[in-house]
Amino acid sequence: MSLVFAGLCSHAPGITARAERAPAELREPFFANFNIMRQQLEAAKPDALIVIAAEHFANFFMDNMPAYAMGAAPYYEGPIEDPDWLKIKRRKIPGNANLSFRLIKTIMQDIDLAYSEEWKCDHGIMVPLHFLTPNYDIDIIPVNINCQTAPFTPLKRAWAFGKALRKACDFVDERIAIVATGGISHWPATPNSGKINEAWDRDFLDKFARNDKTALLAYNDEAVYADAGQGGAEIRTFIALAGAVEGRKINIAFYAPIPIYAVGCTIAMVDLDES
């Protein structure tokens, strides 16, 4: 079965932890677009949702940091953060180990991929699920890309990973949805937390919306760090999604810098039915 839904959203913990502190004129349309994304995801009737997130030292650390990893368990647990702070209840999240291993086997024909039968979900996955699958009634397959510590996987490999993931989705019988999550410019856990480079974000999103492979892969880590902070490494999740829907334009449904959430908040979806 082919991919039935593809989209992207932000995952900053402040989106739930400090939800009410954002100005209403920004918060309300942002959450409204999360709701639209949820409705479109539900309408696609996926059997499983792959969430491409960024590693935040939740499952891997400096002594063992795979470039790409996929969960392969019957269920997952999250959030690892204090649920009272994140304002997301801790729970078991349904997985599908059999499907995960079938996807892994196909992806590994093109990209080396680590896997784990034990996986703790942090805000990078839990915030999107909170909005998109509030009843936790879809099998989840978590994927992490190392966006935390150098050496980072090259951007061209993030694109290739997305293509390999799409190939695997097309190979299985199940209906698959993909949601990539991450920030654009942000400086998390630093004195600059809350800083957002809106001009840089909008320029990146223009390239992302056009799915301009050449432009997206032309970024380099040194310039991204200087202009978009250490959180800018998460453009790899955006690029993986772009690779998965190569040739398709991406609709940016919402973007606004929301400093109290410490990131430029983004909602994007792909029309997979367009000619």
Side-chain angles (χ1 to χ4, degrees):
M1 189 69 194
S2 187
L3 188 68
V4 298
F5 180 88
L8 177 137
C9 63
S10 299
H11 68 217
I15 294 170
T16 54
R18 299 185 293 273
E20 72 287 348
R21 295 177 61 187
E25 64 269 21
L26 297 177
R27 179 184 69 244
E28 291 176 3
F30 179 40
F31 289 174
N33 276 282
F34 252 130
N35 191 48
I36 291 169
M37 189 176 185
R38 176 190 58 78
Q39 291 172 346
Q40 293 193 14
L41 174 64
E42 291 175 348
K45 302 184 184 304
D47 297 308
L49 169 61
I50 298 171
V51 183
I52 306 174
E55 178 57 48
H56 298 122
F57 292 154
N59 294 284
F60 304 100
F61 194 62
M62 306 285 282
D63 59 344
N64 180 21
M65 179 60 72
Y68 309 97
M70 178 175 281
Y75 69 88
Y76 307 96
E77 296 181 350
I80 64 166
E81 294 92 347
D82 178 354
D84 292 333
W85 172 76
L86 191 61
K87 298 181 182 175
I88 297 177
K89 181 181 177 181
R90 188 166 289 142
R91 64 180 67 241
K92 287 186 176 181
I93 302 147
N96 187 325
N98 178 275
L99 175 58
S100 289
F101 277 116
R102 282 183 281 130
L103 292 168
I104 290 164
K105 183 177 180 181
T106 301
I107 292 168
M108 289 183 70
Q109 302 302 311
D110 300 297
I111 293 288
D112 292 329
L113 174 68
Y115 69 88
S116 177
E117 296 183 65
E118 297 181 2
W119 194 289
K120 303 293 186 182
C121 297
D122 69 2
H123 67 273
I125 291 176
M126 295 304 297
V127 169
L129 294 185
H130 174 77
F131 289 98
L132 300 178
T133 63
N135 296 321
Y136 295 86
D137 52 359
I138 302 174
D139 289 346
I140 304 301
I141 299 178
V143 173
N144 274 357
I145 300 177
N146 170 30
C147 303
Q148 184 76 346
T149 182
F152 298 115
T153 184
L155 299 183
K156 65 181 180 180
R157 294 287 287 170
W159 183 282
F161 173 75
K163 288 194 67 173
L165 180 59
R166 173 62 181 274
K167 176 181 174 181
C169 292
D170 290 346
F171 188 75
V172 299
D173 292 331
E174 289 87 347
R175 298 171 62 85
I176 307 295
I178 296 176
V179 171
T181 82
I184 324 178
S185 69
H186 62 307
W187 285 255
T190 74
N192 286 325
S193 181
K195 176 182 176 181
I196 299 166
N197 187 340
E198 181 178 355
W200 191 92
D201 284 357
R202 291 190 181 280
D203 182 68
F204 176 83
L205 287 175
D206 175 68
K207 298 177 176 70
F208 178 64
R210 290 185 281 112
N211 206 337
D212 186 335
K213 179 180 180 181
T214 300
L216 289 171
L217 301 190
Y219 285 89
N220 69 77
D221 289 334
E222 292 77 13
V224 170
Y225 183 86
D227 294 332
Q230 82 276 20
E234 292 182 2
I235 62 172
R236 285 164 173 79
T237 67
F238 288 68
I239 289 172
L241 181 73
V245 297
E246 184 172 21
R248 299 283 187 182
K249 292 182 179 179
I250 301 166
N251 173 43
I252 309 300
F254 179 88
Y255 169 81
I258 306 181
I260 194 63
Y261 296 164
V263 73
C265 294
T266 309
I267 301 286
M269 288 163 279
V270 184
D271 184 356
L272 296 173
D273 295 327
E274 67 180 359
S275 57

